[in-house]
Amino acid sequence: MKIACLGGGPAGVYLAISMKLRDPNHEITVYERNRPQDTFGWGVVFSDQTMDNLRLNDPVSAQSIIDELIHWDYIDVHLRGRVERSGGHGFIGIGRRRMLEILYERARQLGVEMAFQYEFEVESIPTDFGDADLIVAADGLNSKIRNSDLEGFATDIDLRPNKFVWLGTHQRFDDAFAFFFEKTKHGWIWAHAYQFDRNTSTFIVECQPRVYAKWGFEHMSHEQGAETCRKIFEQHLGGHRLLTNSRHIRGSAWINFPRVLCHNWIKDNLVLIGDAAHTAHYSIGSGTKLGLEDAICLADNMNSGKPVQEALQAYQDERELEALKLQSAARNSMSWFENVTRYIDAFDMQQFTYSLLTRSQRVSHENLRLRDKAWLEGIEKILAAKAHGKPVAQPVPPMFTPFTLRGMTLKNRVVVSPMSMYSAVEGVPSDWHLVHYGSLATGGAGLVYTEMTDISPAGRITPGCAGIWNDEQEAAWQRIVDFVHSHTTAKFCLQLGHSGPKGSTKVGWEGMDEPLDADNWEILGPSAVPYSAANQIPRAMTWADMDTVLGDYASAAKRAGRAGFDMLELHCAHGYLLSAFITPLLNRRSDEYGGPLENRLRFPLEVFRAVRGIWPNHKPMAVRISASDWLGDAGITPDDAVLIGKAFVAAGADIIDVSAGQTSPAAEPIYGRMFQTPFADQIRNEAGIPTMAVGNIYEIDHVNSIIAAGRADLCCLARPHLMDRYWTLRAAAEQAYHGDGVACPVQYLMGFEQLERNLQRAAQMAINA
Ligand SMILES: Cc1cc2nc3c(=O)[nH]c(=O)nc-3n(C[C@H](O)[C@H](O)[C@H](O)COP(=O)(O)OP(=O)(O)OC[C@H]3O[C@@H](n4cnc5c(N)ncnc54)[C@H](O)[C@@H]3O)c2cc1C
Ligand SMILES: Cc1cc2nc3c(=O)[nH]c(=O)nc-3n(C[C@H](O)[C@H](O)[C@H](O)COP(=O)(O)O)c2cc1C
């Protein structure tokens, strides 16, 4: 097979090597515009697993790389003159130039033709390479081939806001990957630095666009830019200069990272590989790995005996999935650096470091324990001391630290999220509710929520929804509250709501959000806009309706106080009445209750103030919001959610319960583990407001990581509690935790002890296996 590799970076040359290894008869030429020694960039980082893959593919080049790898184990975070060091991270690195020399040499040995200083033009590809059976587009990040047909390659390019420059230095960072954060007169600038040969290190400098503009980097030559950075990071450079080798970049050497993913990598006999097809943010250091592994996969498929088109498609299918996975972790990491100013002033050194280390959500609390137990236990003690207001003798799992809101102290950070049971009769909670909430409260969570409990018959979602508008309901709730208070240490929160445009629908298991087959009641909304085409059109509320609803909220709050609840939450999420006022999707009013966000918030805030005025001052109040309508700028965005959170806190809310969506059937949520937690993080750390995270949080590790990284103050788990009321007790047993953060009912102690023993035995057996 005759193969033209257009671009002689790691992906292109490694493809040539991998093809030759599988069939020496292939005729392969690599065309590279630069001279062999001209390459840009400094070091590259690999994992042990990548090295194993390379070794299996070509033991010869792998060994040459391994012989020159630099190893380091620590990550050092330098901030405000202090260094926080954690270990066990296990990196390996090599200079990009040296790695390419090894690969070029190996390619030549195998009979690959290397054509340096050959710059191809896209227009001439058909004539210059018309006789090739396979054309490999390996021309990197700014691939001319891909860019000449963005549509054909179904290219998705997202240019990120931060600016960065890839520099080098002869300063050695012997045994650690170092992050340096410097507060300059124009704002924060930071560097990611690691050594890759005996006397050279990579030094990537990054900042937000505002800081870049104020420093005027755009107008500096590459050398002036490097010199300005040297002055900024002088104290870390031991008298060394910062070096630039980005002559290939015209204009400023600083660039914005483009996140690239093509959904079609194939055009006839031409195929994309490496950065031409996809990128992964440098902060997770996987771009070269992806390119090399693409090469292995392409070579495998091209030599598998499949017809060419089938082989190319199989290659794309496998590698696109891999690229997507990495991009998802890289997105979290990239976004952490884009928003670093949220954390840098708010967090102390240790929590800041923890947040940095767990930024991609691939490294969790327990991963950190495996890497550096002593460091992690130090963090656990610091966080616990802060929560208790005094030093602690032993490390405490972050989920088992206390949390106080006004006069209410929760023993831990686990919350049973509100969940409608659709099992009330005429709004009256029944024996089902007593057993349900009673057992949830004995399960160990610090805070247990009721389901959405409605302020009026018309405010119900379904005929089975619970309410608190009459004496019978109040008494039934009081019975449950009394059980929770007399038999458990959990605190109990009532979620107060009105269904608005989503009312008069079937119980959940008969058809979520579907109107009743008969006996529908009139529903209310901010405007005559239905939730979906299938739902009733609500009656647009008059001011008189608003007065009535406000009065119903106030009287329900009075009843909740008398029933003895510890906390109250106003449900302003999921498209129900107050949420419908907030989202522009359902609020089209032209009076002062519609229009800009400030107006759309007016009625929910009036309700909140009315309820807060009635609710005892020493008891806290939360507000649940939908922090995104999952419809981009057409609906509520996370930036709006920060303003919404601030508005409720200014009105007296103590904590924002950050959910998302359910405001439109057209929403396009991006699901995944802890998928709504970034919204809780943004509100908490941009506005300085306590938050609860919710949504696909189901592992012990999730809760510990979210709390320790300061992404939220409390974690709500809904579905996990439906299947396991004792989720928190189990979590305590699994972590062999016995402190004040959990209270196993004495009646159940023997079960707790047995579970703990069994779990420890199983863990020990797994270690010995
Ligand atoms: C700041 C920064 C730091 C990074 N750090 C790391 C890291 O630590 N670890 C890691 O694994 N990855 C890292 N990367 C990513 C890594 O550099 C790329 O992912 C990797 O180089 C991709 O390999 P490639 O062969 O696809 O593309 P490239 O390495 O970009 O190779 C493309 C080649 O094509 C050539 N070319 C382009 N156009 C033409 C033309 N018209 N004619 C002839 N030749 C042409 C170019 O000269 C170049 O040599 C980093 C990237 C950046 C920007
Ligand atoms: C059966 C069920 C009923 C729910 N009812 C409510 C509710 O009454 N009020 C509310 O705010 N959220 C309600 N939710 C949403 C949950 O509180 C939670 O936000 C959502 O399920 C995501 O959390 P999870 O991934 O832990 O399940 C309900 C969820 C479920 C599964």
Side-chain angles (χ1 to χ4, degrees), residues 417-420 451-452 495 571 574 624 694-696 717-720:
S417 199
M419 280 180 286
S420 291
E451 60 210 90
M452 170 165 142
Q495 189 189 49
H571 198 338
H574 303 167
R624 178 167 267 207
V694 63
N696 228 9
L717 285 72
R719 289 164 299 172

Side-chain angles (χ1 to χ4, degrees), residues 17 74 112 152 294 414 426 610:
I17 292 172
Y74 294 103
V112 174
D294 280 356
V414 183
E426 300 296 331

Side-chain angles (χ1 to χ4, degrees), residues 8-39:
V13 70
Y14 203 61
L15 185 267
I17 292 172
S18 305
M19 290 297 286
K20 272 287 192 188
L21 282 168
R22 282 161 182 76
D23 185 349
N25 293 321
H26 291 313
E27 274 178 57
I28 310 177
T29 309
V30 175
Y31 298 90
E32 167 56 47
R33 65 181 166 197
N34 292 326
R35 294 175 304 170
Q37 68 277 22
D38 275 352
T39 188

Side-chain angles (χ1 to χ4, degrees), residues 7 9-11 32-34 45 96 118 120 138 164 166 194 274-275 287-288:
E32 167 56 47
R33 65 181 166 197
N34 292 326
V45 187
R96 175 178 159 103
Y118 184 113
F120 68 83
F164 73 94
W166 197 356
Y194 57 90
D275 273 15
T288 305

Side-chain angles (χ1 to χ4, degrees), residues 6-13 31-34 39-40 43-46 96 100 104 118-121 138-144 164-166 194 202 204 255 257 273-276 278-280 282 284-291:
L6 307 187
V13 70
Y31 298 90
E32 167 56 47
R33 65 181 166 197
N34 292 326
T39 188
F40 69 92
V44 292
V45 187
F46 290 128
R96 175 178 159 103
L100 279 174
Y104 291 159
Y118 184 113
E119 178 149 7
F120 68 83
E121 294 302 333
D139 53 343
L141 181 66
N142 297 314
S143 171
K144 279 189 189 169
F164 73 94
V165 62
W166 197 356
Y194 57 90
T202 296
I204 302 169
I255 55 173
F257 179 78
I273 186 170
D275 273 15
H278 49 66
T279 57
Y282 50 86
I284 64 161
S286 294
T288 305
K289 160 205 157 72
L290 272 181

